[in-house]
Amino acid sequence: MTHPEITRRKFLQYTILGTLASAIPGLNRAENRLINKEPDKNFRPDVELELYAQNAEVPILPGAHTHVYQYTCKLLKGPAHTVKTLPGYLGPILNFERGQKVRIFFYNRIAEPVITHWHGLHVPQKMDGHPMYEIYNGERYVYEFEIDNPAATYWYHSHTHEMTATQVYQGLAGLITVRDAAEQKLELPADEYEIPLIIQDRTFTRGNQLQYLHGRHRRMMGFLGDTILINGQANATFPVKSRAYRLRLLNGSNSRIYKLGWDDGTPLTVIGTDGGLLETPETFPYVMLAPAERVELWVDFSGRKTGSELTLQSLRYKDGGTRMGRMGGMGGGMSQGKSFPIAKFSIKERVGESHQLPKKLVPIRQLSAKDLTSPARTVPIEIGMRHMLFQLNDQTFRMHDHQNIERIPVNTIQKIRIFHEGRMSGSGRGGGMGGARGMGMMGMMLSLPHPIHLHGQQFQILSRKQNESNSAYETVKDGFIHNGWKDTVLVMPGEDIEIIKPFEDYTGLYLYHCHNLEHEDLGMMRNFDVY
């Protein structure tokens, strides 16, 4: 296979540590690190798991098996439905309930350092999967936290510094569902009528091995593959009955953005976003789904003929950075904004009864300017680039680093503005930006969309403002969901976006970064210091 590239610095660090451990008997590489090695005797878990990151050979395409990294799981304590294994290479679905106390023994059995992030969950900093806590081969990390999130679709994935893109690409990702009493009262479609769709694009060699980008310049554009996988499998077709279903969609791709729509033009009915169900169902002609975003759809196949098919597609759009999109693919990889099928639904059986779409879903704590702790303060997230390095707020990532503007008092609610460099003159970090600095690659950078993810609690979108007359924006603007709780927001070229975010309960360093994973690994990540 073509192995994912590891940065020279990380490779040397890990090799030196391994050599020292072999040469000096009894040397514990974890001794001077902050990893959580032992369980808390005072923590009483309702659910207890063993989770392994390990090598595996799995069938994906016809012919030779593919070498991957894979999460596997063993349930030690808790309901039998907590762990649901998928047939592909992805980790099992972890099904939790709000209020459960969860303990996870995470073991590293691959030859690279790794740590796991519980994407979207509100947990203490030490349990969030910050890369400072990476563990080496043969070590374990003990996670202990209470599920304090509303019913929604979340996920877990590797978050190793400078290796997140390659490790997620190799397979270290899985879905999480959380359920609560409010959701259960709705009696939404469940069991066989609830279908997870983890969408990823990959490229394979002729020998069926995963092929990744090599070279810094190509990685700067983000990975775009030529094969669409659903739940780790190619050519996904789902047999369904003529009734209502609940679809849980996750964009688990490294950098590809999907414009989701049905092939017959049927509107999409959205019932949930990243952080939970909406107050009422909403319909869209299409939905934009950036890396790390989730959406829950209500799909009613009632009235469709047995033997007919409905195809979920990624529709054509202009991404605002066409040149960048073409450069991102692997050889014949599909460019950003291209139209292609994602999954087919084949009506195999006609039934007489179906769930009815509820008119109301769940009440949501709606945040507004009156809830802000410091109304005069706006926390900036400025997207920029210097010297071929991706930056946020004029800085690249350093493990424990933060600026004064990134210090947030705990138990506060903050307004955050996300914008591209040079697009917010006279505001933001306290001074005029004076226009975009530099041309060439910087100009191309400003033409890229960026999915910005904030760790910790979910947020709500206050406003989206497009500052430019942009024909590309017209092809995507009707697919943004403005309501509900979010943890990732797609920032299109020329956009300023304001969000409102609680920073409650926990102190420590919480990451914010671009979830184009190649951008993240190349430094487009920073810390909020919640104190």
Side-chain angles (χ1 to χ4, degrees):
M1 65 173 289
T2 303
H3 293 278
E5 67 176 31
I6 303 172
T7 66
R8 179 174 176 79
R9 181 176 57 167
K10 289 290 280 188
F11 177 78
L12 291 175
Q13 286 174 350
Y14 194 61
T15 301
I16 291 169
L17 284 167
T19 302
L20 287 173
S22 300
I24 306 174
L27 177 65
N28 184 356
R29 291 174 294 177
E31 200 168 280
N32 295 318
R33 292 183 287 124
L34 302 173
I35 68 172
N36 197 48
K37 297 182 290 183
E38 300 299 331
D40 182 351
K41 295 179 180 179
N42 297 316
F43 185 83
R44 300 287 184 264
D46 303 299
V47 174
E48 201 167 46
L49 308 168
E50 288 181 349
L51 184 70
Y52 298 87
Q54 60 189 32
N55 294 279
E57 304 285 335
V58 300
I60 300 177
L61 302 178
H65 286 195
T66 304
H67 177 79
V68 297
Y69 292 157
Q70 186 177 45
Y71 284 121
T72 60
C73 190
K74 179 181 180 182
L75 179 64
L76 303 178
K77 178 183 179 181
H81 66 264
T82 300
V83 178
K84 181 181 179 181
T85 302
L86 293 173
Y89 63 83
L90 292 170
I93 298 176
L94 303 180
N95 298 303
F96 297 136
E97 297 177 12
R98 190 168 195 176
Q100 282 181 331
K101 292 184 176 181
V102 177
R103 173 182 287 152
I104 300 172
F105 296 99
F106 174 54
Y107 295 89
N108 181 9
R109 289 183 172 174
I110 65 174
E112 299 172 6
V114 67
I115 195 67
T116 298
H117 167 52
W118 312 99
H119 187 119
L121 296 187
H122 180 43
V123 297
Q125 182 234 267
K126 201 170 185 179
M127 303 301 163
D128 187 51
H130 194 288
M132 73 172 79
Y133 300 125
E134 67 182 22
I135 60 173
Y136 300 119
N137 180 272
E139 293 181 338
R140 80 173 182 185
Y141 196 97
V142 182
Y143 295 95
E144 294 169 327
F145 51 82
E146 182 174 340
I147 302 297
D148 188 23
N149 286 70
T153 304
Y154 306 95
W155 65 305
Y156 60 103
H157 60 82
S158 165
H159 215 303
T160 316
H161 181 39
E162 298 180 331
M163 295 179 170
T164 299
T166 56
Q167 290 181 351
V168 172
Y169 183 76
Q170 290 262 114
L172 291 185
L175 206 66
I176 296 173
T177 70
V178 172
R179 303 181 191 276
D180 62 17
E183 177 206 42
Q184 290 169 359
K185 289 179 181 178
L186 297 172
E187 297 183 343
L188 297 172
D191 301 323
E192 67 174 297
Y193 308 117
E194 180 182 298
I195 302 176
L197 295 174
I198 305 171
I199 312 171
Q200 298 173 308
D201 59 334
R202 297 290 185 262
T203 293
F204 295 85
T205 67
R206 291 183 178 179
N208 285 354
Q209 300 310 307
L210 290 169
Q211 188 173 13
Y212 187 66
L213 294 168
H214 291 275
R216 182 181 184 86
H217 282 82
R218 299 190 74 191
R219 295 184 67 217
M220 289 178 73
M221 309 309 173
F223 175 86
L224 296 172
D226 58 15
T227 302
I228 300 299
L229 303 179
I230 300 296
N231 302 337
Q233 296 183 305
N235 302 316
T237 298
F238 295 90
V240 295
K241 300 176 183 178
S242 59
R243 51 152 293 151
Y245 283 74
R246 178 184 187 177
L247 305 186
R248 296 179 181 265
L249 285 81
L250 159 67
N251 182 348
S253 300
N254 281 33
S255 72
R256 185 177 294 281
I257 301 165
Y258 300 94
K259 179 180 177 179
L260 302 174
W262 295 113
D263 64 337
D264 67 352
T266 299
L268 277 71
T269 301
V270 175
I271 60 172
T273 55
D274 299 346
L277 296 172
L278 298 174
E279 287 193 317
T280 59
E282 299 182 19
T283 58
F284 295 82
Y286 55 85
V287 169
M288 300 302 298
L289 198 68
E293 285 188 305
R294 286 89 66 208
V295 66
E296 296 191 24
L297 301 179
W298 175 283
V299 185
D300 195 346
F301 298 104
S302 299
R304 294 184 179 272
K305 296 180 180 179
T306 303
S308 64
E309 290 185 338
L310 187 64
T311 300
L312 184 65
Q313 294 182 318
S314 186
L315 306 174
R316 187 175 302 280
Y317 68 92
K318 298 178 182 178
D319 72 337
T322 306
R323 179 182 172 192
M324 301 285 276
R326 286 198 304 264
M327 294 173 69
M330 283 288 303
M334 297 180 292
S335 62
Q336 197 80 277
K338 182 180 175 64
S339 177
F340 51 83
I342 291 176
K344 289 184 179 181
F345 297 85
S346 178
I347 291 78
K348 296 296 186 183
E349 183 180 345
R350 188 170 183 83
V351 294
E353 295 184 1
S354 179
H355 281 68
Q356 295 298 310
L357 176 64
K359 293 182 179 179
K360 293 185 178 181
L361 295 170
V362 298
I364 292 178
R365 173 192 176 195
Q366 296 287 357
L367 301 178
S368 66
K370 64 181 177 60
D371 298 303
L372 293 170
T373 304
S374 302
R377 182 189 188 192
T378 298
V379 178
I381 297 180
E382 180 193 49
I383 299 168
M385 190 177 194
R386 293 288 184 281
H387 308 299
M388 302 296 289
L389 294 173
F390 290 102
Q391 294 185 328
L392 293 171
N393 288 330
D394 264 348
Q395 301 290 323
T396 56
F397 181 67
R398 294 188 295 276
M399 191 68 74
H400 302 278
D401 184 52
H402 54 83
Q403 305 175 83
N404 285 335
I405 58 172
E406 296 165 327
R407 300 198 74 224
I408 308 290
V410 70
N411 294 323
T412 63
I413 297 176
Q414 303 288 335
K415 181 171 71 174
I416 300 173
R417 179 168 288 176
I418 311 172
F419 59 98
H420 292 268
E421 182 180 47
R423 312 242 184 224
M424 212 174 119
S425 180
S427 56
R429 291 184 291 117
M433 300 306 299
R437 305 169 202 167
M439 301 294 287
M441 183 63 73
M442 181 63 198
M444 294 173 67
M445 170 71 176
L446 289 172
S447 73
L448 273 177
H450 294 279
I452 301 298
H453 170 52
L454 287 76
H455 287 221
Q457 279 172 283
Q458 305 279 327
F459 56 80
Q460 293 175 9
I461 296 173
L462 289 175
S463 66
R464 303 185 80 113
K465 181 173 66 176
Q466 173 57 242
N467 293 324
E468 300 175 350
S469 177
N470 190 326
S471 62
Y473 192 72
E474 293 297 314
T475 68
V476 300
K477 66 181 180 63
D478 294 327
F480 297 124
I481 303 168
H482 298 104
N483 296 319
W485 291 102
K486 297 280 292 173
D487 56 54
T488 306
V489 61
L490 178 59
V491 186
M492 296 299 292
E495 271 196 319
D496 286 348
I497 296 180
E498 287 189 344
I499 65 173
I500 186 167
K501 176 176 165 59
F503 290 82
E504 296 170 335
D505 304 324
Y506 306 123
T507 59
L509 297 181
Y510 284 88
L511 297 166
Y512 66 97
H513 59 87
C514 181
H515 222 285
N516 178 318
L517 295 182
E518 283 72 37
H519 293 177
E520 174 190 329
D521 280 357
L522 291 170
M524 199 172 180
M525 180 163 66
R526 295 289 299 165
N527 291 305
F528 281 128
D529 177 27
V530 184
Y531 65 95

